[in-house]
Amino acid sequence: MEQQALFAEMSLFNWNLYIKRTDDLLNTLTDEQLAGEISPGRNTGVYLTGHLFTYHDAMCDILELGERKYASLDNAFLKNPDKSGINFPSIATLREYWTETNNRLQKYFANMQTAEWFSKHKNISAEDFAKEPRRNKLSILINRTHHLSYHYGQLILLKSK
Amino acid sequence: MEQQALFAEMSLFNWNLYIKRTDDLLNTLTDEQLAGEISPGRNTGVYLTGHLFTYHDAMCDILELGERKYASLDNAFLKNPDKSGINFPSIATLREYWTETNNRLQKYFANMQTAEWFSKHKNISAEDFAKEPRRNKLSILINRTHHLSYHYGQLILLKSK
């Protein structure tokens, strides 16, 4: 259990690191910068912000933490690409949802027992999990941290040169 | 030890995943695409390729695996930004070094004992490591995987739209 706690701590350390980096970046970007594209013809910062918090919000479901709050935005930010014609909430609202999602997950994570991180997540059967114990709840957190660092590497291109 | 083996497996899974994704991407990009910038005025794919394999090559040192091969390129790809005026090897050479570094690390990792991943890395003192056992060799691998996914998110912008 001590080793499990260490590994959960290592994984949460990296999650918090990239959430903080992305949060700091979003706070330095103006609404105009966020509305811009990361590279000509590519995703906007607005889309990526929505994409990140809806994807993180969905962790509530897969990690069995509680009800999701922004499933109604999946269509805009998860199921469709940017510039699909679907209306987005205002940038101020997206910033608020980003922060609310981070804070909500942080509270859930603080209350999770170590053993829970090593239990199966919602989208894997007990049979498959017995064969592949690697596919635990912690693997979802780790996967989402890589997804976050991937998009953080793009959002940083919105900064002034 | 069984739990430690699981963590090492989870971390190596993600390292291999992003190495494979980046390798597949580099193999689909032409030399002309790789010479381009990820966004106007930003890093070129050539620089990022060099940056990644020299950073990975340096893991040989910090993880105490063996001699580095490309320390002579640190000046071009780690210590200075892109367009510093320092000459780069040819793109064909950079592609070769990228592949060689991946293969070399893969062999080292395959031979590492689980306990070794949880031992201290070269750049932390025994005293500090006793206080922060999170800062083990596995944390270096995890950190480098995030660094890789960050830049993979940028390199993918070189693909044709």
Side-chain angles (χ1 to χ4, degrees):
Chain A
M1 183 59 82
E2 194 187 325
Q3 289 301 330
Q4 287 194 333
L6 178 69
F7 197 62
E9 181 195 325
M10 288 168 67
S11 303
L12 280 166
F13 174 87
N14 283 297
W15 167 263
N16 289 327
L17 182 68
Y18 276 92
I19 287 288
K20 174 80 165 64
R21 284 180 178 170
T22 309
D23 195 51
D24 287 349
L25 174 63
L26 293 181
N27 285 333
T28 62
L29 294 173
T30 64
D31 287 359
E32 291 65 35
Q33 286 176 311
L34 213 50
E37 295 169 332
I38 52 170
S39 187
R42 303 291 182 168
N43 287 331
T44 60
V46 170
Y47 177 80
L48 288 179
T49 303
H51 177 68
L52 286 172
F53 79 72
T54 48
Y55 200 48
H56 294 171
D57 179 58
M59 289 165 76
C60 288
D61 188 44
I62 192 168
L63 297 180
E64 301 165 312
L65 298 170
E67 283 295 309
R68 294 190 54 190
K69 286 192 81 157
Y70 308 120
S72 64
L73 294 174
D74 283 4
N75 219 25
F77 295 120
L78 292 184
K79 295 182 184 164
N80 285 289
D82 199 2
K83 301 152 198 167
S84 64
I86 298 170
N87 279 336
F88 294 163
S90 71
I91 296 184
T93 302
L94 293 177
R95 289 182 184 274
E96 189 188 305
Y97 291 178
W98 157 259
T99 302
E100 190 282 325
T101 305
N102 294 341
N103 293 344
R104 182 159 36 101
L105 288 176
Q106 190 165 45
K107 277 181 202 155
Y108 280 130
F109 295 165
N111 287 319
M112 272 177 82
Q113 301 297 314
T114 297
E116 201 177 337
W117 281 114
F118 292 87
S119 65
K120 80 171 205 69
H121 60 70
K122 192 180 171 186
N123 295 358
I124 183 172
S125 70
E127 294 72 33
D128 284 348
F129 184 62
K131 282 178 240 161
E132 291 190 276
R134 178 182 60 68
R135 297 170 64 187
N136 49 37
K137 287 184 177 173
L138 202 63
S139 74
I140 298 293
L141 181 76
I142 294 168
N143 173 289
R144 283 359 175 222
T145 308
H146 287 112
H147 176 261
L148 176 59
S149 58
Y150 171 94
H151 286 304
Y152 173 68
Q154 299 176 330
L155 284 167
I156 209 160
L157 302 174
L158 297 170
K159 279 177 82 169
S160 310
K161 279 189 278 278
Chain B
M1 184 56 84
E2 195 186 325
Q3 288 300 330
Q4 287 193 333
L6 179 69
F7 310 151
E9 182 194 326
M10 287 170 69
S11 304
L12 281 166
F13 175 87
N14 282 297
W15 167 264
N16 288 326
L17 183 68
Y18 276 93
I19 287 289
K20 174 81 165 63
R21 283 180 180 170
T22 308
D23 194 52
D24 287 349
L25 175 62
L26 294 180
N27 285 334
T28 63
L29 293 174
T30 64
D31 287 358
E32 290 67 32
Q33 286 176 311
L34 213 50
E37 294 169 331
I38 53 170
S39 187
R42 304 289 183 171
N43 286 333
T44 59
V46 170
Y47 177 80
L48 288 178
T49 303
H51 177 68
L52 285 172
F53 78 71
T54 47
Y55 200 48
H56 294 171
D57 179 58
M59 291 166 75
C60 287
D61 187 44
I62 192 169
L63 297 180
E64 300 165 312
L65 297 170
E67 283 296 308
R68 293 191 55 190
K69 285 192 81 157
Y70 308 120
S72 65
L73 293 175
D74 283 4
N75 218 25
F77 296 121
L78 292 184
K79 295 182 183 163
N80 285 291
D82 198 2
K83 300 151 199 170
S84 64
I86 299 170
N87 279 337
F88 294 162
S90 72
I91 296 185
T93 302
L94 294 176
R95 289 182 184 276
E96 188 189 306
Y97 290 178
W98 158 259
T99 302
E100 189 282 324
T101 305
N102 294 341
N103 293 343
R104 182 160 36 100
L105 288 176
Q106 189 165 48
K107 277 180 204 156
Y108 280 130
F109 295 164
N111 287 321
M112 270 175 85
Q113 300 298 312
T114 297
E116 202 177 337
W117 282 115
F118 291 86
S119 65
K120 82 171 204 69
H121 59 70
K122 191 179 173 186
N123 295 358
I124 183 172
S125 69
E127 293 70 31
D128 286 347
F129 184 61
K131 284 178 236 159
E132 291 189 276
R134 178 182 59 68
R135 297 170 65 186
N136 49 37
K137 287 183 178 175
L138 200 64
S139 75
I140 298 293
L141 181 75
I142 294 168
N143 173 289
R144 286 353 178 226
T145 309
H146 287 113
H147 176 261
L148 176 59
S149 57
Y150 171 94
H151 286 303
Y152 173 68
Q154 300 176 331
L155 284 167
I156 209 161
L157 301 172
L158 297 171
K159 278 177 81 168
S160 310
K161 280 188 277 277

